């Protein structure tokens, strides 16, 4: 019993991200509406960002901003005291990429709507097949 | 299957997880000595991984470019073909004029206000509240950019806040007002200018005889120690990032909210 609660406490964050990722993946594959697909893509990206951020966590550590004071130097820095900055840096850029992809995806959706008058994927497919 | 894979993962918050053991401790222990930047995230982002961040900025710029070409170019062509009816309100008398001939040119005048057929004005409270808030948001954005070395913040975050404050103007007033404040051409120049500032700082380092984006090279010109020069170099590229992100946010918003027409926003 003890080991099972320990296991859940140590791993439940990953399971959250897996379920979020599956929600996003399902929306991207199964939904018919293009805007819902875009929302699914964003949920998937968010899940991955959260996953990386949780990798960076350390128990009992603080944010990666080194304590410093003007003039009389600073104490030796121990890596154990600060959480891992690398996942944060990587995800900072990933967030920017997700904003960029979201913008381009929405622009494409607007163009498709102007061309076909609908955002439902099957209706667009029908129209494409009818007009060779 | 994925859940089963997590059984091999390190526990949450485990300080001995493999992710914390290789390159990350070196960043933490040496970043402050080598770059004089207490915020390790900023130091890693803009110094150790500066190539990554430079092309990141280029990605943001190309996203703005893609939105522009997808929406704006097409709608300009359409605009030339079929001009809709235009509405103008005479401010003194509140009379509304409808102009049906597309070729007729209406000069910009302080007495006439162009109206959009579908757009409804926001309430006075919303407009006034947003007008008061906007300068404070912009000031905070500048603080986030400039203080990114010592507190959480940096170019991307500050740029997004700055862009959001201008989008707030577009939301609370109308798109026409905000496009007068942030003209399309100016934003189109600022967005690549941000990338150029970043690449230019890198090129300056080459000119000083060091590697591309090795900010220590700027120490001689700035008259500081190499560590402080790295800190200043990070600040310069962060400003470039902020400019690019702000301009791109506004380009994307203006094109998306009006489907490229830049006439009536949301």
């Amino acid at each position: 019993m003890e080991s099972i609660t320990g296991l859940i406490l140590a791993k439940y964050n990953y399971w959250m991200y897996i379920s979020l990722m599956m929600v996003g993946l399902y929306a991207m594959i199964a939904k018919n509406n293009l805007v819902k697909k875009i929302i699914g893509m964003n949920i998937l990206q968010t899940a991955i960002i959260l996953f990386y951020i949780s990798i960076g966590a350390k128990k009992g550590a603080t944010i990666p901003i080194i304590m410093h004071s003007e003039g009389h130097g600073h104490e030796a820095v121990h890596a154990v005291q600060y959480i891992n900055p690398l996942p944060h840096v990587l995800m900072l850029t990933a967030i920017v990429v997700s904003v960029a992809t979201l913008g381009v995806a929405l622009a494409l959706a607007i163009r498709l709507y102007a061309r076909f008058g609908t955002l439902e994927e099957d209706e667009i497919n029908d129209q494409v097949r009818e007009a060779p | 299957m994925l859940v089963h894979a997590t059984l091999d993962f390190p526990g949450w918050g485990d300080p001995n997880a493999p992710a914390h053991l290789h390159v990350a401790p070196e960043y933490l222990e040496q970043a402050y000595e080598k770059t004089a930047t207490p915020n390790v995230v900023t130091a890693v982002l803009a110094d150790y991984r500066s190539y990554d961040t430079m092309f990141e900025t280029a990605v943001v710029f190309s996203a703005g470019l893609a939105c522009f070409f997808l929406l704006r170019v097409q709608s300009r062509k359409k605009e030339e073909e079929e001009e809709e009816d235009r509405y103008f309100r005479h401010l003194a008398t509140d009379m509304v004029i409808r102009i049906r001939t597309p070729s007729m040119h209406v000069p910009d005048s302080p007495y006439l206000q162009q109206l959009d057929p579908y757009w409804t004005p926001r309430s006075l409270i919303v407009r006034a509240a947003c007008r008061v808030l906007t300068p404070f948001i912009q000031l905070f954005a500048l603080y986030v950019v400039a203080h990114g070395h010592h507190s959480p913040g940096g170019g991307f975050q500050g740029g997004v806040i700055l862009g959001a404050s201008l989008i707030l103007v577009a939301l609370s007033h109308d798109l026409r007002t905000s496009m007068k404040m942030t003209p399309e051409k100016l934003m189109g120049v600022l967005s690549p200018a941000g990338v150029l500032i970043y690449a230019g700082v890198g090129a300056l380092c080459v000119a000083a005889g060091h590697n591309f984006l090795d900010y220590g090279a700027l120490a001689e010109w700035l008259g500081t120690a190499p560590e402080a020069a790295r800190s200043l170099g990070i600040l310069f590229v962060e400003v470039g990032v902020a400019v690019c992100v702000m301009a791109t946010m506004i380009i994307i918003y203006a094109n998306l909210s009006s489907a490229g027409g830049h006439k009536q926003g949301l």
Side-chain angles (χ1 to χ4, degrees), chain B:
Chain B
M1 206 161 66
L2 285 170
V3 171
H4 183 256
T6 60
L7 296 181
D8 293 338
F9 275 30
W12 187 54
D14 180 6
N16 291 318
H20 305 321
L21 292 182
H22 297 285
V23 72
E26 275 172 39
Y27 284 148
L28 278 167
E29 280 158 13
Q30 299 179 5
Y32 186 57
E33 277 171 40
K34 286 190 175 169
T35 65
T37 306
N39 186 346
V40 183
V41 174
T42 309
V44 174
L45 180 82
D47 201 336
Y48 291 99
R49 298 182 61 88
S50 48
Y51 277 91
D52 185 12
T53 313
M54 186 175 88
F55 288 108
E56 198 64 41
T57 321
V59 164
V60 173
F61 165 60
S62 42
L65 203 66
C67 277
F68 177 83
F69 278 123
L70 278 170
L71 294 169
R72 185 76 177 135
V73 174
Q74 290 285 335
S75 78
R76 259 193 196 164
K77 262 187 218 156
K78 214 195 296 170
E79 221 169 83
E80 281 165 14
E81 283 165 14
E82 42 175 303
E83 185 88 26
E84 301 154 340
D85 294 355
R86 286 171 297 169
Y87 296 86
F88 289 91
R89 188 161 70 99
H90 186 235
L91 289 177
T93 58
D94 244 10
M95 280 202 317
V96 176
I97 311 160
R98 181 165 75 161
I99 296 172
R100 307 186 76 167
T101 31
S103 55
M104 195 175 130
H105 176 69
V106 182
D108 276 344
S109 133
Y111 307 110
L112 288 177
Q113 183 194 24
Q114 190 168 4
L115 294 179
D116 298 312
Y118 306 115
W119 184 82
T120 46
R122 300 280 183 272
S123 90
L124 181 68
I125 296 170
V126 173
R127 267 183 293 160
C130 292
R131 182 175 294 176
V132 171
L133 269 178
T134 306
F136 290 105
I137 298 176
Q138 286 170 343
L139 195 64
F140 178 65
L142 294 179
Y143 161 78
V144 167
V145 175
H147 211 251
H149 294 66
H150 298 264
S151 62
F156 287 111
Q157 298 92 321
V160 167
I161 298 173
L162 208 55
S165 76
L166 292 163
I167 289 172
L168 184 69
V169 174
L171 278 174
S172 63
H173 294 72
D174 56 356
L175 193 62
R176 235 184 270 280
T177 321
S178 82
M179 289 315 284
K180 260 180 211 144
M181 285 168 65
T182 56
E184 191 189 6
K185 279 185 184 151
L186 178 68
M187 291 300 123
V189 169
L190 279 183
S191 182
V195 185
L196 273 183
I197 291 174
Y198 202 133
V201 172
L204 269 181
C205 300
V206 176
H210 283 61
N211 286 333
F212 190 64
L213 287 169
D214 183 359
Y215 313 127
L218 303 173
E220 241 171 77
W221 292 339
L222 294 168
T224 52
E227 291 81 22
R230 285 178 179 278
S231 184
L232 281 170
I234 291 173
L235 179 65
F236 292 148
V237 299
E238 293 274 27
V239 169
V241 169
V243 167
C244 173
V245 169
M246 179 203 71
T248 311
M249 292 286 289
I250 292 167
I251 291 174
I252 291 180
Y253 172 78
N255 282 319
L256 281 183
S257 67
S258 62
H262 285 197
K263 281 175 175 169
Q264 37 196 2
L266 291 173

Side-chain angles (χ1 to χ4, degrees), chain A residues 7 9-15 17-18 21-22 51 53-60 63-70 74 77-80 82-90 92-94 96-97 99-104 106-108 110-111 114, chain B residues 2-3 6-15 17 19-20 23-25 27-29 32-33 37-42 44-45 49 52-53 56 59-60 62-64 66-67 70-71 74-75 78 149-152 156-157 245 249 252 255-257 259:
Chain A
L7 182 76
L9 279 178
K11 306 281 159 54
Y12 75 96
N13 56 327
Y14 300 121
W15 301 340
Y17 312 140
I18 289 170
M21 213 170 125
M22 289 304 124
F51 170 60
I53 293 295
S54 89
I55 285 180
K58 277 184 208 168
K59 270 208 185 74
I63 53 169
I65 295 177
I66 309 287
M67 303 271 237
H68 63 292
S69 48
E70 289 296 325
H74 62 102
V77 180
H78 300 295
V80 190
Y82 299 96
I83 57 170
N84 193 344
L86 203 53
H88 291 245
V89 175
L90 296 176
L92 189 62
T93 51
V96 176
V97 169
V99 171
T101 50
L102 179 67
V104 175
L106 286 174
L108 281 170
I110 289 176
R111 292 291 309 144
Chain B
L2 285 170
V3 171
T6 60
L7 296 181
D8 293 338
F9 275 30
W12 187 54
D14 180 6
H20 305 321
V23 72
Y27 284 148
L28 278 167
E29 280 158 13
Y32 186 57
E33 277 171 40
T37 306
N39 186 346
V40 183
V41 174
T42 309
V44 174
L45 180 82
R49 298 182 61 88
D52 185 12
T53 313
E56 198 64 41
V59 164
V60 173
S62 42
C67 277
L70 278 170
L71 294 169
Q74 290 285 335
S75 78
K78 214 195 296 170
H149 294 66
H150 298 264
S151 62
F156 287 111
Q157 298 92 321
V245 169
M249 292 286 289
I252 291 180
N255 282 319
L256 281 183
S257 67

